[in-house]
Amino acid sequence: MLLLRGLRQSKAPTPALVSLNHAFPTLSGCLDLVGTRSLLTSAKASAVGDSTRSGSLDLFDRQLKTAHRDRAALRPYDEDPLLVAVTEALLDRLEDCKRTFPVVAVLGGAGDVVTSRLSGGRAGVRKVLQMDISSGMLQRDQTIAQAAAEGGKKGRPETHYIQADEEFLPFKPGSLDLIVSCLSCHWVNDLPGMLQQCRRALKPDGLMLAAMFGGDTLHELRVSCNLAEEELQGGVSQRVSPLAQVRDCGSLLTVGGFNIPAVDVDDITIHYKDFKGVVNHIRSLAESNAVHTRQPLMRKAVAQRAAEIYKERFEDTKSGTLPATFQVLYMTGWAPHASQQKPARRGSATVSFEDLQDALKQQSDKP
């Protein structure tokens, strides 16, 4: 998805791989893996629906994105208000569901924020399989959960930590009741293939909840960088990765094989003290540019000019802050089941739209 500076990448220290609390027997019904060794690797070979990947899409550097998340995990931890807002809005959809979801997979993104908000038996959740491409992020989240438990916070569901790639899901077909992907889908190369894998991993009538950044995200920053590069270099480079539009999401769910697809959008505006604050927040979210065709470095003069343009065009004059817009796309879909509502047969309607319009007009004309 985002962004800005393509800084020269240095190798980050590799944290120790996260243990699964020796819980292999309890996971045998969910993971489609051969031997325990696969639990501590990328788990590409045994993914559900591995054959669904076309192999033709390679927009994002997944290895670089792993390094971004490993580096972000080394920062001092504090719940990010953006991740909290998106997570709570996404999980609010569970309140409208009458059924329960005992076994849940949480994919990347705001992993611990999601898992912590499934505490207390919410939606009947008993077991969470928290998956991330980054071993550093998993280790950090496991440390946070342990500290919370030692501090007296109870009610978190049984949680297992699995390092794997969202593009190669390691779950058995029909093993999950719910999949939650909060702010990770926009970095997946083959999103239709990933959604097909999710649908196969769900039990019949299982639920998929996903949130990802949409095309209007950080438009202020994109405009500022483009204008600065055009002014000083005579051309524009790709500083923001391709992002889905609202109109794309319904089709993605349908191609993924989900029934009753629902899509909605929300714009969240965050205000920053200065341009540096915008950049630092994006880095802390591990949302730096990971497009294969990215430019390796932004010149200092261009970055300074981009900061000036940002302030000139977008500054909130009342507060003196710089706003940044995050467009969030929410997607909901259900794995097919015979009990689900189905559309009526074409041509089976007994009332025309004209009759309905006349009836509504007559009702509105009544005193």
Side-chain angles (χ1 to χ4, degrees), residues 1-3 58-60 185-189 191 212-217 222 238-245 248 287 289-294 329:
M1 153 210 138
L2 327 171
L3 179 133
D58 195 20
L59 295 173
F60 306 118
C185 286
H186 52 274
W187 286 117
V188 174
N189 282 302
L191 189 50
M212 63 180 177
F213 288 122
D216 288 341
T217 297
R222 179 169 51 244
Q238 190 170 25
R239 298 294 174 184
V240 180
S241 77
L243 291 170
Q245 301 294 331
D248 301 323
E287 293 292 349
N289 193 0
V291 179
H292 277 298
T293 57
R294 67 191 180 279
L329 308 179

Side-chain angles (χ1 to χ4, degrees), residues 92-252:
D92 276 348
R93 288 152 176 77
L94 294 175
E95 309 305 322
D96 299 325
C97 300
K98 295 181 179 180
R99 61 159 296 181
T100 58
F101 304 94
V103 183
V104 182
V106 176
L107 310 183
D112 183 72
V113 181
V114 173
T115 301
S116 65
R117 280 156 180 78
L118 293 174
S119 300
R122 183 177 186 178
V125 175
R126 296 199 303 267
K127 181 187 296 184
V128 173
L129 309 179
Q130 186 175 324
M131 195 191 88
D132 202 296
I133 195 173
S134 162
S135 60
M137 196 65 73
L138 286 171
Q139 189 167 25
R140 186 202 70 179
D141 290 350
Q142 189 177 38
T143 301
I144 293 168
Q146 290 173 347
E150 292 170 1
K153 291 185 178 180
K154 300 180 179 180
R156 286 179 69 108
E158 175 188 343
T159 305
H160 306 282
Y161 299 86
I162 304 168
Q163 184 191 2
D165 192 330
E166 293 96 331
E167 297 186 358
F168 302 92
L169 298 182
F171 305 116
K172 286 184 177 180
S175 62
L176 302 172
D177 299 288
L178 169 67
I179 295 177
V180 181
S181 175
C182 187
L183 299 181
S184 67
C185 286
H186 52 274
W187 286 117
V188 174
N189 282 302
D190 183 8
L191 189 50
M194 178 258 197
L195 290 173
Q196 289 175 18
Q197 292 182 59
C198 288
R199 189 256 304 160
R200 293 181 182 181
L202 286 169
K203 297 176 183 177
D205 204 33
L207 177 61
M208 174 77 188
L209 293 178
M212 63 180 177
F213 288 122
D216 288 341
T217 297
L218 293 181
H219 65 85
E220 303 93 344
L221 185 60
R222 179 169 51 244
V223 169
S224 300
C225 290
N226 287 349
L227 291 176
E229 287 189 315
E230 181 67 34
E231 179 182 317
L232 298 181
Q233 298 180 171
V236 175
S237 58
Q238 190 170 25
R239 298 294 174 184
V240 180
S241 77
L243 291 170
Q245 301 294 331
V246 181
R247 61 180 177 271
D248 301 323
C249 295
S251 298
L252 285 169

